């Protein structure tokens, strides 16, 4: 049994390292991202790998390399890629590490066939192993050869001891055949398209593997239609049923749809330094949870257009093998900007070649004072190599705080507050859409991008929910304004449109789709009873503030009065029967459940569709200040910023 999600990841990576001696290792992007959070490339090279390559059909290996290890999600496409790599190499020993449970792989390998007997009898894993080993032997095409197929659940990363993310599912989003809401009240897995169905099964199987390793037997709670499907698979699949019989540590698992509340993830009013960095800097190439830091201030290379300039590799924020950096990353989530700046200055001052003023003589640490120490190390590769982690983190924070985008974010924050108070004061929508239309028309003068304003619009629609109905005339006007703006900015908004000029008709169609999607966003909480509103009066008595659905839920869970959690469903209410009978799980009459999440010592809150660092900090703080003894772990598919959250919600 492992003690934490971080430990769970480390235990399984050690299983990988045991198999790589003398091998060429091929990884897909998701496994590479998970490796980054465990220690990175050098873990493989110092562990005995002779080469490390991307899982690509264009890759192959030298004739003298006879052993290959493939670390993959075992999709049909990836299996074809493995075949191409083997054909173009000369391997006699192949190990396929499937990060996905082999019973799920078996279902996908035999899609369209009736395999219910094999699944029910629990033989799916054995059959999948045989099938995959047979494929490897056929592709190697010579005797003698050695093959091994093994499931190693590499799918989590742990930014802190209480937060974990799942990079292979960063594109997973609560949709039903691409729509935010299901077309029917009767839902089961077949309400989803095959790709969505596969993602649900894969996520559930990953959580099952994690619980198996950690000896967890879960009580499942869920909020949201999509989460009910993940809960259903975890509750009913034969593998999960068998595991629960053997595990002894009781936990509560709460699964929540992100779409129920998009305000937190589309808000620019962010306190967490990590959220600020992730809103300003580009993503680290191929990653969903770390950023690319421009390293040119430390180097003497002539960089023209970082991060696109390939002569200089980007830096990043997380450094798994440096305890000081892990602490700073934790601060970026949980501490104030001032505390993060003092922490960075303190760590940098120990390597300062110019001997800047000590912390005690500084009243305030500014980006400039931090930058001064960094640039003093320029070209001093002895110092850089010894302290490369903290230098990258400090550069990332400085580049964020000095970025021109920060001014745009300040403006968006004030617009957000203005809209919030307008809606709260009168519950009247008349001026809000008109205001947004004007902002879109004047975006160039204000130096605002269309995607920033679409994030603000998504925030407004999620904030109002079903409490405010927008005037049709104003919505029509917004659609028209959007269409013109999309026509003008389509090349920056849609990378796939670079090859042709969008026609006005295409832009009309996109604008109409966006508005339809926004209307869906506003309706997502109508299935709830207690948490329909996220705009609440301030504790001070003046004005209103956003109080997120996740925050309200956690506050109610830890409340000593134990209010009835009307919207939180429990698996004992018969997911299986409801799915079979086709009743609507979410609005069917709820009998008072005797189960409460705090009945178990550990509670895992898992959000499908992304969270912010700020949400993680606030939720953890609620549990700490409540005085309860239970442990809260927060999981999600990824860290997300306002633009990414908007693109997920509006399918852009």
């Amino acid at each position: 049994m492992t003690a934490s999600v971080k430990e769970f990841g480390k235990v399984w990576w050690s299983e990988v390292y045991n198999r790589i001696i003398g091998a060429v290792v091929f990884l897909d992007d998701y496994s590479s991202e998970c490796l980054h959070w465990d220690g990175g490339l050098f873990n493989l090279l110092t562990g005995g790998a002779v080469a490390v390559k991307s899982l690509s059909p264009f890759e192959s290996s030298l004739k003298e390399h006879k052993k290959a290890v493939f670390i993959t999600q075992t999709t049909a496409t990836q299996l074809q890629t493995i075949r191409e790599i083997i054909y173009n190499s000369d391997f006699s020993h192949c190990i396929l590490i499937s990060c996905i449970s082999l019973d799920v792989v078996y279902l996908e390998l035999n899609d369209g066939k009736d395999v219910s007997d094999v699944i029910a009898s629990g033989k799916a894993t054995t059959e999948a192993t045989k099938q995959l080993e047979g494929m490897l032997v056929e592709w190697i095409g010579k005797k003698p050869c050695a093959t091994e197929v093994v499931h190693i659940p590499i799918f989590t990363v742990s930014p802190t001891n209480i937060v974990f993310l799942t990079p292979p599912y960063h594109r997973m989003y609560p949709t039903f055949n691409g729509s935010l809401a299901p077309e029917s009240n009767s839902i089961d897995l077949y309400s989803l398209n095959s790709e969505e169905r596969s993602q649900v099964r894969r996520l559930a199987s990953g959580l099952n593997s994690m619980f198996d390793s950690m000896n967890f037997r879960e009580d499942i709670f869920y909020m949201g239609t999509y989460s009910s499907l993940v809960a259903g698979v975890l509750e009913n699949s034969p593998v999960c049923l068998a595991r629960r019989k053997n595990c002894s540590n009781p936990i509560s698992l709460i699964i929540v749809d992100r779409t129920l509340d998009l305000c937190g993830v589309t808000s620019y009013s962010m306190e967490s330094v990590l959220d600020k960095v992730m809103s300003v800097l580009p993503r680290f190439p191929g990653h969903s949870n770390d950023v690319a830091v421009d390293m040119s201030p430390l180097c003497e290379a002539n960089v023209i257009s970082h991060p696109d300039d390939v002569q200089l590799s980007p830096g990043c924020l997380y450094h798994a093998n440096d305890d000081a950096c892990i602490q700073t990353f934790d601060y970026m989530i949980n501490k104030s900007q001032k505390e993060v700046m003092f922490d960075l200055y303190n760590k940098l001052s120990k390597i300062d070649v110019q001997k800047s003023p000590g912390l005690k003589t500084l009243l305030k640490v500014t980006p400039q004072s931090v930058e001064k120490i960094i640039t003093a190390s320029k070209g001093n590769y002895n110092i850089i190599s010894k302290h490369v982690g903290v230098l990258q983190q400090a550069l990332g924070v400085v580049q964020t705080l000095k970025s021109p985008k920060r001014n745009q974010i300040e403006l968006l924050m004030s617009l957000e507050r203005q809209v919030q108070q307008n809606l709260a004061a009168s519950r009247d929508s008349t001026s809000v859409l008109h205001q947004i239309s004007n902002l879109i028309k004047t975006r160039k003068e204000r130096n605002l991008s269309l995607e920033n304003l679409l994030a603000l619009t998504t925030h407004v629609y999620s904030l109002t929910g079903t409490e405010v109905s927008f005037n049709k005339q104003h919505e029509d006007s917004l659609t028209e304004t959007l269409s013109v703006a999309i026509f003008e900015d389509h090349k920056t908004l849609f990378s796939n449109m670079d090859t042709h000029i969008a026609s006005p008709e295409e832009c009309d169609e996109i604008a109409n789709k966006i508005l339809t999607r926004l209307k869906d966003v506003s309706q997502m909480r109508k299935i709830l009873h207690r948490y329909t509103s996220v705009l609440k009066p301030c504790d001070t008595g003046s004005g209103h503030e956003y109080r997120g659905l996740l925050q309200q839920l956690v506050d109610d869970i830890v409340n000593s009065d134990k209010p009835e959690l009307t919207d939180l469903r429990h698996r004992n209410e018969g997911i299986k029967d409801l799915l079979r009978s086709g009743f609507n799980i979410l609005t069917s009459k709820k009998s008072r459940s005797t189960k409460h999440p705090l009945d178990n010592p550990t509670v895992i809150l898992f959000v499908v569709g992304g969270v912010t660092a700020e949400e993680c900090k606030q939720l953890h703080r609620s549990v700490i200040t409540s005085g309860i003894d239970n442990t809260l772990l927060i999981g999600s598919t990824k860290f997300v910023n306002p633009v990414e959250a908007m693109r997920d919600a509006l399918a852009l």
Side-chain angles (χ1 to χ4, degrees), residues 209-481:
S209 300
M210 186 171 94
F211 295 161
D212 194 18
S213 284
M214 299 174 81
N215 195 22
F216 281 164
R217 187 185 73 249
E218 74 281 10
D219 278 317
I220 306 171
F221 301 83
Y222 56 91
M223 194 189 299
T225 318
Y226 190 88
S227 290
S228 71
L229 297 177
V230 181
V233 176
L234 264 174
E235 163 66 3
N236 298 315
S237 77
V239 174
C240 300
L241 287 166
R243 186 255 310 156
R244 265 196 301 276
K245 286 177 188 170
N246 299 320
C247 291
S248 56
N249 286 355
I251 66 156
S252 295
L253 171 67
I254 303 170
I255 312 171
V256 181
D257 288 3
R258 176 76 265 175
T259 44
L260 293 174
D261 176 10
L262 291 169
C263 302
V265 283
T266 51
S267 171
Y268 284 95
S269 301
M270 48 189 80
E271 294 296 321
S272 164
V273 172
L274 183 62
D275 285 336
K276 291 175 185 178
V277 175
M278 295 196 85
S279 293
V280 170
L281 299 187
R283 284 289 178 273
F284 195 78
H287 287 231
S288 54
N289 299 297
D290 207 340
V291 296
V293 178
D294 179 1
M295 296 299 288
S296 58
L298 282 173
C299 306
E300 290 172 337
N302 295 315
V303 179
I304 299 160
S305 60
H306 186 82
D308 303 319
D309 193 330
V310 294
Q311 66 176 306
L312 184 62
S313 297
C316 58
L317 291 184
Y318 194 82
H319 301 270
N321 297 324
D322 186 330
D323 289 343
C325 287
I326 291 172
Q327 181 194 49
T328 300
F329 196 91
D330 189 293
Y331 285 3
M332 286 186 192
I333 296 175
N334 292 310
K335 304 276 187 184
S336 68
Q337 182 175 307
K338 182 181 175 182
E339 289 170 302
V340 170
M341 294 300 281
F342 268 93
D343 172 66
L344 285 169
Y345 192 90
N346 193 28
K347 283 168 181 164
L348 287 169
S349 62
K350 291 170 186 169
I351 60 169
D352 183 12
V353 292
Q354 285 189 346
K355 300 299 170 206
S356 299
L359 269 179
K360 288 180 181 174
T361 58
L362 273 180
L363 293 174
K364 185 181 180 186
V365 176
T366 63
Q368 288 75 15
S369 54
V370 171
E371 188 176 38
K372 189 180 173 190
I373 303 181
I374 298 168
T375 51
S377 308
K378 185 182 175 90
N380 189 334
Y381 296 114
N382 185 38
I383 282 184
I384 292 169
S385 62
K386 284 180 185 169
H387 305 282
V388 70
V390 69
L391 286 166
Q392 287 175 69
Q393 289 181 323
L395 270 173
V397 173
V398 167
Q399 286 162 16
T400 298
L401 298 179
K402 290 185 70 180
S403 168
K405 287 186 182 176
R406 288 297 304 150
N407 292 333
Q408 297 167 26
I409 289 172
E410 297 286 336
L411 176 56
L412 287 158
M413 279 170 63
S414 71
L415 292 169
E416 210 177 279
R417 279 195 294 269
Q418 207 176 319
V419 163
Q420 199 168 288
Q421 292 314 318
N422 283 357
L423 286 170
S426 58
R427 297 282 154 167
D428 178 15
S429 65
T430 49
S431 63
V432 172
L433 291 192
H434 186 61
Q435 216 176 342
I436 289 173
S437 293
N438 281 337
L439 287 170
I440 293 170
K441 286 173 188 170
T442 58
R443 66 191 181 285
K444 299 278 197 292
E445 297 94 277
R446 295 170 185 268
N447 197 23
L448 291 171
S449 71
L450 181 56
E451 58 181 10
N452 285 148
L453 291 170
L454 280 170
L456 177 65
T457 313
T458 308
H459 179 82
V460 167
Y461 269 84
S462 185
L463 190 69
T464 56
T466 53
E467 297 173 85
V468 175
S469 295
F470 288 115
N471 178 302
K472 185 183 184 306
Q473 194 180 342
H474 286 191
E475 286 192 323
D476 291 344
S477 172
L478 175 62
T479 310
E480 197 178 313
T481 305

